[in-house]
Amino acid sequence: MLQELENNFSEIEKKILNLQKSFQNLSEKYLELNKEHTELKAKYDEERKKNQVLAEEQKNIKLYSAISGNPEHNRLMKNHINRLVKEVDFCIAQLQNSGL
């Protein structure tokens, strides 16, 4: 009976050691994945910013093209002018409401 208990304790001790090793491995893997996640998130943010800059540049190029008389972008120019007129009208209305 004593031998059986010793065997059981030995098995339990081996299982605990295996669990500790597994936990250590998982902790290391977690740290690696967390670091990789941070790096990928930074790259994603950088690429997103580049994409926004390129989209803004593309918008400006179309606008400049419309201003220079390119018939393909006349509609864009009209929409842009209409948007600016609405903003100016809104500002005028705010100034009138504020009593200036």
Side-chain angles (χ1 to χ4, degrees):
M1 170 134 175
L2 185 61
Q3 184 65 30
E4 265 184 62
L5 285 175
E6 287 180 8
N7 287 340
N8 286 342
F9 281 127
S10 293
E11 286 180 36
I12 290 173
E13 188 177 15
K14 287 178 187 177
K15 288 181 181 181
I16 289 173
L17 290 174
N18 284 337
L19 285 173
Q20 285 176 334
K21 287 179 186 177
S22 294
F23 176 77
Q24 183 65 30
N25 290 338
L26 288 173
S27 295
E28 290 172 4
K29 185 69 174 176
Y30 170 78
L31 291 175
E32 289 173 18
L33 289 173
N34 197 22
K35 181 180 176 183
E36 183 180 348
H37 174 263
T38 303
E39 290 171 359
L40 288 173
K41 186 177 180 187
K43 285 182 183 178
Y44 169 76
D45 289 340
E46 183 180 325
E47 291 298 322
R48 191 171 54 90
K49 287 177 185 176
K50 286 180 184 178
N51 188 25
Q52 288 175 342
V53 168
L54 289 174
E56 188 65 30
E57 285 179 13
Q58 181 183 18
K59 180 181 168 186
N60 288 337
I61 289 171
K62 285 183 181 180
L63 186 59
Y64 296 143
S65 178
I67 290 171
S68 67
N70 188 337
E72 289 181 20
H73 301 290
N74 281 343
R75 184 171 175 224
L76 174 70
M77 186 62 186
K78 288 178 185 177
N79 289 340
H80 186 70
I81 291 171
N82 286 337
R83 190 172 55 247
L84 290 174
V85 168
K86 286 179 184 179
E87 286 181 33
V88 169
D89 287 343
F90 180 74
C91 291
I92 290 170
Q94 282 185 326
L95 288 172
Q96 287 174 347
N97 288 338
S98 67
L100 293 177

